[in-house]
Amino acid sequence: MAGNIFINYRRGDDPGFTQALYTRLEQAFAADQLFMDVDNIAPGLDFVQVLNEQVARCDVLIAVIGKNWLDAADSSGERRLDNPEDFVRIEIESALAQRKRVIPVLVNDAKMPRSTELPEGLKAFARCNAVRLTHERFRADAQSLVKALEEALSAADRERRERRKKDAASGDAWKGFRAWVAALPPRESWLVSLGFIAIVLFLWRLAALFFWLHMRGSGELGGLFGLSALVSVAALLIILAGVYLRRESLSAPGVALTWLAVFSFLSLLVNSVMIAGGAGSLIAASLPCGLAILAAAFVVSLRGRHVGGLEMAVYLMGSALFANIILASSMLGTEGAAGVEFAAAIVIAAAGLGIAVWRRNKANGAELAVYGFSAAYILAVALIGMLGTGGTSS
């Protein structure tokens, strides 16, 4: 099910219930489809703008309403909803202004507020049809909410498709293409990108090894890697253009995949240029690979507990791939280097498959696909390298 869900709630207004609801939604939707706790806004940023951007990336906002939601007061005794800078108010107002589907979720005996009890920007919220969740019927009530969310996400997806059709019918092909790229559901976008990256990387390595074995000493070798450099530059430009077009709706796994793609082709670019000039080899790719691992660790540390399973899978297996390249580079030309690289690849692949088996009951298909693909890819590349060099060097 494509689309994103924003969970709006008041801290202190039955927070345990909200966490239980979030856990239930994680069972029905991918972790990168759920947004909650947008409170880690960096210093100096306009928090209203940040919240508006977060809401813009979602198709549905559910507002959890407990018994103290309407009258919750701040330290000065003023009602929080009357404060224009109240996070709950900003998020709901933004969703209403952007014509997002807003679903009030009434906890136990909580009542839907009347329009006369709400600030001007929230009056339309009183007209939104609500659902109720109770402790006694939590499982059944939550299932009804999940069904309503699935229907809302399907409707949002149909609207996007209709807009793309209208753009295409208007004759503005470029506008239609941009709209199509920007509206790609998160799962489809990362899957298409991953397939593209996999094919280019694998063919590049296969062709490079083939020509390296059969054209050593030939002047055509430099031309091959010069062409590889051009392919890498083109791939980088395509990736950056895709990120620009999807900047408003790029999911966390999408960011992780972009990191993997950019550093992969940057490594290939540096490697190709050095070999074409006769001044280097795989060793030249070690620097961007090392920077890639540091960048992944930095992003994961920034996101902390917000990192989802699919996002972490991309960072883990991407870092493992880069680590394997660094190992191959450091042992280039030494006796038994290919065997050592292949042994390291087996360990990395086994670790990826082990994580996939361990998380099989928690992970969705996309996350398992990343672990499976990465394990198969790194084994295939290492095997090609070992066979191509006769098991003596990489």
Side-chain angles (χ1 to χ4, degrees):
M1 176 67 64
N4 296 320
I5 302 166
F6 194 106
I7 303 174
N8 168 277
Y9 74 105
R10 174 80 65 193
R11 289 191 175 183
D13 189 21
D14 205 348
F17 193 93
T18 303
Q19 187 58 50
L21 174 60
Y22 182 83
T23 301
R24 174 62 184 88
L25 293 180
E26 276 189 314
Q27 299 172 6
F29 304 96
D32 59 290
Q33 290 181 268
L34 303 175
F35 289 80
M36 189 172 77
D37 285 340
V38 188
D39 58 354
N40 54 342
I41 300 174
L45 296 181
D46 185 335
F47 68 87
V48 175
Q49 180 180 352
V50 172
L51 292 176
N52 286 334
E53 291 173 353
Q54 292 286 350
V55 173
R57 295 174 183 173
C58 297
D59 297 302
V60 183
L61 180 142
I62 60 175
V64 181
I65 301 177
K67 60 181 180 179
N68 299 320
W69 184 87
L70 183 63
D71 299 319
D74 56 24
S75 57
S76 62
E78 299 294 329
R79 196 174 69 154
R80 291 184 180 274
L81 282 179
D82 293 328
N83 183 358
E85 296 183 352
D86 176 49
F87 276 27
V88 169
R89 173 176 172 175
I90 291 173
E91 291 165 2
I92 297 177
E93 283 184 338
S94 177
L96 293 172
Q98 298 179 50
R99 298 184 180 278
K100 303 289 184 178
R101 180 78 66 90
V102 178
I103 302 178
V105 177
L106 306 178
V107 177
N108 291 322
D109 298 327
K111 296 181 179 180
M112 191 65 190
R114 297 188 296 270
S115 61
T116 55
E117 299 174 310
L118 297 172
E120 186 62 33
L122 287 180
K123 290 189 179 299
F125 178 63
R127 299 193 296 272
C128 296
N129 193 28
V131 299
R132 186 174 298 279
L133 296 183
T134 62
H135 288 289
E136 295 78 8
R137 289 177 41 84
F138 180 79
R139 181 173 298 181
D141 291 342
Q143 183 57 37
S144 298
L145 176 59
V146 167
K147 183 177 180 181
L149 289 171
E150 289 175 342
E151 293 174 352
L153 294 181
S154 296
D157 188 54
R158 287 195 298 271
E159 291 176 5
R160 279 193 294 268
R161 294 176 186 275
E162 288 299 322
R163 286 197 299 269
R164 290 200 296 268
K165 289 180 180 179
K166 290 181 180 179
D167 289 335
S170 67
D172 190 345
W174 173 239
K175 181 179 178 182
F177 174 75
R178 284 187 302 172
W180 176 77
V181 173
L184 272 175
R187 289 187 183 180
E188 290 183 17
S189 62
W190 77 258
L191 189 60
V192 171
S193 301
L194 185 62
F196 171 76
I197 294 168
I199 292 172
V200 175
L201 283 175
F202 189 79
L203 292 180
W204 186 95
R205 181 69 181 265
L206 189 63
L209 285 171
F210 175 79
F211 281 95
W212 178 260
L213 291 173
H214 297 282
M215 299 175 63
R216 289 180 181 178
S218 166
E220 298 180 32
L221 183 61
L224 166 70
F225 284 97
L227 179 61
S228 296
L230 293 178
V231 171
S232 299
V233 171
L236 283 171
L237 293 177
I238 292 172
I239 292 167
L240 294 177
V243 171
Y244 175 77
L245 291 174
R246 287 185 53 78
R247 63 191 182 278
E248 298 296 336
S249 56
L250 199 63
S251 62
V255 173
L257 188 63
T258 300
W259 155 83
L260 174 61
V262 168
F263 277 102
S264 294
F265 286 111
L266 181 61
S267 299
L268 294 179
L269 174 61
V270 173
N271 191 16
S272 299
V273 171
M274 296 295 287
I275 293 179
S281 60
L282 276 174
I283 297 175
S286 295
L287 179 59
C289 286
L291 292 176
I293 295 175
L294 292 177
F298 177 70
V299 173
V300 171
S301 66
L302 282 180
R303 286 183 51 73
R305 64 186 179 88
H306 298 285
V307 179
L310 176 56
E311 179 186 0
M312 182 58 76
V314 175
Y315 281 126
L316 282 177
M317 297 311 297
S319 296
L321 292 171
F322 289 129
N324 189 256
I325 294 176
I326 294 175
L327 177 64
S329 304
S330 63
M331 300 193 65
L332 190 66
T334 61
E335 187 71 21
V340 173
E341 181 192 1
F342 185 63
I346 291 178
V347 173
I348 293 173
L353 293 177
I355 295 174
V357 172
W358 174 56
R359 285 187 53 81
R360 65 186 182 278
N361 295 326
K362 299 179 182 179
N364 55 32
E367 180 184 342
L368 296 178
V370 171
Y371 284 119
F373 158 76
S374 301
Y377 174 78
I378 196 169
L379 278 176
V381 170
L383 181 61
I384 291 173
M386 189 172 75
L387 294 176
T389 56
T392 59
S393 68
S394 58

